[in-house]
Amino acid sequence: MLALSAEGILPKVDYAIFADTGWEPNAVYSHLDRLEQEVAKPAGIPILRVTSGNIRNDALDPDHRFASMPLYILNQDGKAGMTRRQCTGEYKIKPIKKQVRELLGYPYPARIPRDVFVEQWVGISTDEFHRAKDADVKYMRNRHPLIDMGWSRKDCIRYLSSLGLADTPKSSCLGCPFHGNAQWRNIRDNSPAEWADVVEFDAAIRKGNARANATGNRLLGEAFLHRSRIPLSEAPIDHVTAAEWAALQQELGAEEDAEQLEEGVTDGCSPWTCRGEIAATQDDFGLAT
């Protein structure tokens, strides 16, 4: 959408906002820098980088409130579970709303007049049209230009390729539990330092978040980044085993296939398209029941 606006195919936007969780892959930050220099600045479009902090550091800090990630849980009775997802709201939607309020001239807790609002573009393609929803606040009105243009994911990739941006990486936390095996392999095989980072984090959260542990409320079971509920350093990320296939079918339903296990969640964790349909079976990453 930024490129379409910069080229004049879509109207020129006033701003582009990137919500930084503090734990994106290096490739994402490099790509953002390139977009800023080669696309946004020449078109006079400021890219605003907003943040609520570093999600990795916050998770391991006992003095910080932790917004739960959607972690895979192995309960003490052997049953599988999953924690609720709060991270997208805390680290992406919240700082974007804060920035929008400031741009409108009404920082929280100021009341925003009914007739003051922004038109917010959300990059949902026709493949995910069911995710196109209105904003939950009156001062933000969502528009979905890609759907208006009838563009699918393939159309977007074709367009990016024509601009020399075919290598656009998926934006999501380095240690996002929604990664597929292909993403985990890519980190392991192409970025040893980042792989060591996520393996270390996976081990660190095994018994729950640091704050919960510090107050004596340890997780009643074990938490994992990988769907197999095996330590990431040992997880079967090179192929789908028979047991993993059976577990996937039971967890997601017979209509799903192995594509999600391999490729991960299609839209990653962009603020308004992060997968949220999975029902949590633990209230909190540190306070399981």
Side-chain angles (χ1 to χ4, degrees):
M1 293 189 303
L2 175 63
L4 288 168
S5 176
E7 284 203 313
I9 299 172
L10 289 173
K12 183 181 175 182
V13 294
D14 296 304
Y15 301 95
I17 300 178
F18 175 76
D20 184 5
T21 66
W23 200 27
E24 293 274 350
N26 290 330
V28 170
Y29 292 118
S30 296
H31 183 72
L32 180 62
D33 290 341
R34 181 185 174 193
L35 285 180
E36 188 167 36
Q37 294 301 318
E38 298 181 13
V39 179
K41 281 189 176 181
I45 301 173
I47 293 181
L48 307 179
R49 306 188 190 203
V50 298
T51 184
S52 287
N54 184 300
I55 189 172
R56 187 195 193 282
N57 294 344
D58 293 347
L60 303 180
D61 180 0
D63 295 323
H64 193 281
R65 174 189 172 275
F66 179 69
S68 179
M69 296 177 178
L71 299 170
Y72 299 100
I73 303 298
L74 187 62
N75 291 305
Q76 289 178 324
D77 60 5
K79 292 182 179 180
M82 196 166 194
T83 55
R84 60 180 174 173
R85 175 180 60 90
Q86 299 173 311
C87 47
T88 300
E90 183 70 21
Y91 288 91
K92 295 198 173 185
I93 296 176
K94 182 177 177 179
I96 288 175
K97 287 181 175 178
K98 181 174 184 262
Q99 179 68 79
V100 167
R101 276 180 156 272
E102 291 174 357
L103 291 173
L104 290 174
Y106 295 91
Y108 184 82
R111 184 179 180 85
I112 301 178
R114 185 180 296 273
D115 60 345
V116 175
F117 62 91
V118 298
E119 179 180 278
Q120 173 178 254
W121 293 3
V122 182
I124 299 174
S125 65
T126 56
D127 310 79
E128 297 284 331
F129 71 91
H130 60 283
R131 296 187 186 276
K133 299 179 175 65
D134 293 331
D136 60 355
V137 289
K138 293 181 179 179
Y139 60 86
M140 299 167 74
R141 298 186 183 179
N142 286 351
R143 180 183 168 192
H144 306 89
L146 300 178
I147 292 179
D148 294 341
M149 296 171 65
W151 275 27
S152 67
R153 178 171 295 274
K154 289 183 179 179
D155 293 317
C156 296
I157 293 173
R158 189 179 302 113
Y159 174 65
L160 289 172
S161 298
S162 74
L163 300 177
L165 297 171
D167 59 347
T168 297
K170 181 183 292 186
S171 174
S172 62
C173 286
L174 191 62
C176 179
F178 287 155
H179 282 344
N181 285 341
Q183 291 161 287
W184 290 125
R185 286 196 305 273
N186 181 59
I187 298 171
R188 181 196 64 188
D189 298 342
N190 297 304
S191 185
E194 291 184 324
W195 177 248
D197 185 23
V198 292
V199 167
E200 179 184 31
F201 180 80
D202 175 69
I205 52 86
R206 190 74 68 237
K207 294 298 181 182
N209 75 68
R211 183 172 183 178
N213 288 340
T215 56
N217 296 311
R218 295 180 63 129
L219 190 68
L220 302 181
E222 295 183 310
F224 302 86
L225 290 180
H226 193 265
R227 185 192 299 275
S228 65
R229 295 170 176 85
I230 293 173
L232 188 58
S233 59
E234 306 167 19
I237 65 175
D238 287 305
H239 63 282
V240 180
T241 66
E244 205 169 19
W245 168 255
L248 180 69
Q249 294 295 78
Q250 182 178 8
E251 185 174 338
L252 295 180
E255 73 280 2
E256 297 284 353
D257 57 23
E259 181 179 357
Q260 192 172 100
L261 180 62
E262 176 66 11
E263 299 299 333
V265 177
T266 302
D267 285 297
C269 264
S270 62
W272 280 267
T273 62
C274 182
R275 180 184 176 194
E277 292 84 354
I278 293 179
T281 50
Q282 265 78 14
D283 285 341
D284 188 272
F285 159 30
L287 298 172
T289 56

